[in-house]
Amino acid sequence: MTSATAPDAPAPAAVRAPAKIAVVGAYGAGKTSLIHAAGAATGLPSAHGTPMRDPAGGAAKPLEEATEPELVQLVVRRLTERVLAEAALPGAFLSDGSLLHEWVYATVRLAVGLHPGPDVPYEAVRAGAGPYREVLDHLGREVLHRALSGYDAFVHLPVEFPLGDPVPPISEHFRALSDRLLLDTLERAGATVHTVTGPPPQRLAALTALIEARPRAVRPRPLPSPPPPPTPEDHRMHAIGISQYGAPEVLALVERPRPSAAPGEVLVRVLAAAVNPTDLMLRSGELGPYVAAFAPPHTPGMDASGEVVEVGPGVTDLAPGDRVMAFVNPFTAAGGAQAEYVAVPAGHAVRLPDELPTREAAGLPMNGLTAHQALALLDLAPGATLAVTGGAGALGGYAVELARHRGLRVLADAADADRALLERLGADVVVPRGATPEATAAAYRAAAPDGVDGLVDAAVLGAPALDAVRDGGALVKCRPYELPETRGIRVHQAFVVDHPDKRAALAELAALAAGGAVTLRTAALLPAAEAARAHALLERGGVRGRLILTF
């Protein structure tokens, strides 16, 4: 590492060689101010990220309130945005190094929180573990490759000045730990890092001097991506793979390394995995940013059923041989449920009661958890009125049954052909589905003139659904979309990855299904090799129940 200081800022000078310089350092170290000042002095354009208080898109949320999945999404989103933004710049620019910072901040936050005490050692950051840490570490390797190949030099601003915020969003020790992780990562990769110190004028003088010194001469070489180690034949498996985005025909059976159970995980031999609308969005590329940091092929699927074949250290409530159903997060390096084996946190899998068939149980976890989460967000008292749009679908049907079990009065819309189905599921009132979302909302209002207390928008009616809700009521979105604030209606977003207690919810769902209060609804069991056909059928619409792939 080299150090550079200067007593006075030089006069503006022309840049004599391409210079892609990243100014790096802890939160609040003055990176953005420095690159703007240096850009004005040298003529280089500046590239800087948006404030950290913007985790995963949508409404702004403070970093300290972001969940673990949102932290991972933040890194993926920022990496994608920064690569695209800097690729559009001319051959020379100054960057605030956001390629690295989002990953560093998220890693430290995940390991020790935003306000670790001064006695928390740096080793605690390095020793972090768990499935989200594993994903962040994978992202970190990709981030480092991008940074080393995209910047000619790194200029480091050490933590010299305290934060000026009246209520700091992070502690000073968080700044010190993240700064050390940043430097440690760059030095381990063999990058040349120039440290500039002192008050702003000295920092500016040092940076402009480095720009004039043709920093391309110290350009670090990108790290090569090591080839994966060979995997023995008996440690490989087949999975549904998405190697490129497009129509159902892009799906194929691919060979992947068979996973193993890490601490706190179970390895499940998958017998069946359901096909959900989320899989269609992943295949088409709509959810591409969520897996942008992972090498294809991507494996879809959010729920599976099968048999436990291995348990990791620390798992005591499940054992090899147990029949289970499980929720699987497809937005990871390992991919989703549509594979012969999946490793999942033990809290994402529950033992199946004897009354439930193994393969058909694969249709319950993701949609059941989403319905469970939606009702928890609404928090309606027994006797309250609930509307469920798209009640004949898999998600809507589970919402109807769970709501009826919780003592709610349930209204649901349906075409004439589905009226009997909704009555069997327990809907108190079946309203006619209109030709437009506005017409369907009007039908709900006609059935409940004062408006319903809560609404689960499983059919994604969007803004018109608000017309069915009373003043001061509540609505749960089951997919992201914008809604206006109106009449005091509280709006919630269901995101199944964020369900706070999947173990308890899955156990309740399994028990209710065993007792008949919740119905396993299987549209068809198809061999895994017919994944493309399953996608085409679901895309066409009108499927009642779940299409399930068998392995």
Side-chain angles (χ1 to χ4, degrees):
M1 180 181 297
T2 63
S3 178
T5 60
D8 299 299
V15 179
R16 299 199 306 269
K20 297 180 180 180
I21 298 178
V23 177
V24 299
Y27 181 94
K31 301 182 293 294
T32 301
S33 298
L34 180 60
I35 66 171
H36 283 315
T42 63
L44 284 178
S46 300
H48 60 91
T50 52
M52 277 294 293
R53 295 167 176 267
D54 183 16
K61 178 184 288 188
L63 177 64
E64 57 267 31
E65 295 178 9
T67 62
E68 291 181 349
E70 285 174 329
L71 289 172
V72 175
Q73 292 173 38
L74 180 149
V75 179
V76 172
R77 179 169 173 250
R78 294 302 185 80
L79 173 61
T80 304
E81 289 178 349
R82 177 44 54 97
V83 169
L84 294 175
E86 293 187 351
L89 291 172
F93 60 82
L94 291 165
S95 169
D96 69 351
S98 291
L99 264 183
L100 292 158
H101 294 129
E102 272 49 289
W103 165 69
V104 167
Y105 297 148
T107 299
V108 178
R109 152 72 196 278
L110 198 61
V112 299
L114 290 169
H115 297 88
D119 56 336
V120 174
Y122 173 65
E123 289 69 26
V125 175
R126 281 290 182 191
Y132 289 108
R133 177 56 185 266
E134 181 182 345
V135 175
L136 277 179
D137 287 346
H138 181 95
L139 286 169
R141 290 189 289 273
E142 177 66 21
V143 164
L144 186 59
H145 280 281
R146 294 279 184 176
L148 292 176
S149 59
Y151 300 130
D152 298 311
F154 298 89
V155 173
H156 172 237
L157 303 186
V159 177
E160 293 185 276
F161 313 112
L163 284 169
D165 298 352
V167 182
I170 61 175
S171 72
E172 291 295 335
H173 193 46
F174 178 97
R175 297 176 76 205
L177 292 173
S178 59
D179 197 48
R180 183 170 174 184
L181 175 60
L182 181 68
L183 283 178
D184 189 19
T185 301
L186 289 172
E187 290 179 347
R188 285 170 182 259
T192 300
V193 182
H194 304 269
T195 295
V196 298
T197 61
Q202 286 188 336
R203 293 183 172 195
L204 176 59
L207 179 54
T208 52
L210 286 169
I211 294 172
E212 293 176 336
R214 298 176 181 263
R216 198 170 187 82
V218 296
R219 180 185 181 115
R221 297 181 63 186
L223 293 178
S225 297
T231 305
E233 187 65 30
D234 59 351
H235 283 78
R236 297 192 71 80
M237 66 174 186
H238 288 99
I240 304 301
I242 302 170
S243 297
Q244 61 182 20
Y245 300 127
E249 289 72 28
V250 303
L251 297 171
L253 273 177
V254 298
E255 198 174 66
R256 301 191 67 161
R258 170 180 159 176
S260 58
E265 292 184 339
V266 295
L267 181 66
V268 178
R269 166 69 175 96
V270 176
L271 296 178
V275 177
N276 287 294
T278 302
D279 305 339
L280 273 58
M281 297 166 70
L282 180 59
R283 187 211 75 226
S284 69
E286 187 175 348
L287 298 179
Y290 289 89
V291 293
F294 310 126
H298 308 299
T299 295
M302 299 185 83
D303 34 17
S305 58
E307 179 181 316
V308 174
V309 294
E310 179 188 329
V311 298
V315 177
T316 58
D317 56 339
L318 292 170
D322 286 343
R323 294 187 314 125
V324 294
M325 66 177 185
F327 170 80
V328 186
N329 183 358
F331 307 118
T332 66
Q338 293 169 19
E340 290 179 316
Y341 293 87
V342 294
V344 297
H348 293 186
V350 296
R351 190 179 293 107
L352 287 173
D354 292 341
E355 296 87 345
L356 297 185
T358 304
R359 287 179 169 81
E360 285 80 353
L364 180 56
M366 191 277 265
N367 287 127
L369 281 173
T370 304
H372 189 280
Q373 183 185 34
L375 294 180
L377 290 168
L378 291 172
D379 194 24
L380 300 177
T385 303
L386 173 74
V388 179
T389 69
L395 171 57
Y398 287 137
V400 169
E401 290 184 313
L402 279 176
R404 185 62 184 266
H405 176 72
R406 282 158 168 64
L408 303 178
R409 182 171 180 266
V410 183
L411 287 71
D413 62 273
D416 290 342
D418 292 322
R419 176 176 290 273
L421 168 62
L422 277 173
E423 290 172 348
R424 288 197 304 272
L425 293 175
D428 296 282
V429 178
V430 180
V431 304
R433 176 177 299 165
T436 65
E438 290 78 6
T440 301
Y444 276 109
R445 197 71 186 209
D450 295 330
V452 296
D453 299 304
L455 184 145
V456 176
D457 192 16
V460 197
L461 295 187
L466 291 167
D467 295 337
V469 182
R470 66 169 174 81
D471 293 0
L475 180 148
V476 173
K477 301 182 295 180
C478 297
R479 288 195 193 175
Y481 57 81
E482 295 299 321
L483 279 183
E485 294 184 6
T486 181
R487 298 187 288 113
I489 296 173
R490 292 170 289 112
V491 175
H492 305 278
Q493 177 68 64
F495 184 46
V496 68
V497 173
D498 284 345
H499 193 295
D501 192 349
K502 295 182 180 66
R503 183 197 302 271
L506 287 171
E508 180 186 6
L509 290 166
L512 290 175
V518 167
T519 308
L520 296 180
R521 297 169 56 207
T522 303
L525 295 172
L526 301 172
E530 296 187 24
R533 179 186 168 210
H535 275 231
L537 289 171
L538 185 57
E539 214 159 41
R540 190 181 306 157
V543 174
R544 295 296 173 251
R546 270 289 157 251
L547 295 165
I548 295 176
L549 302 177
T550 59
F551 289 85

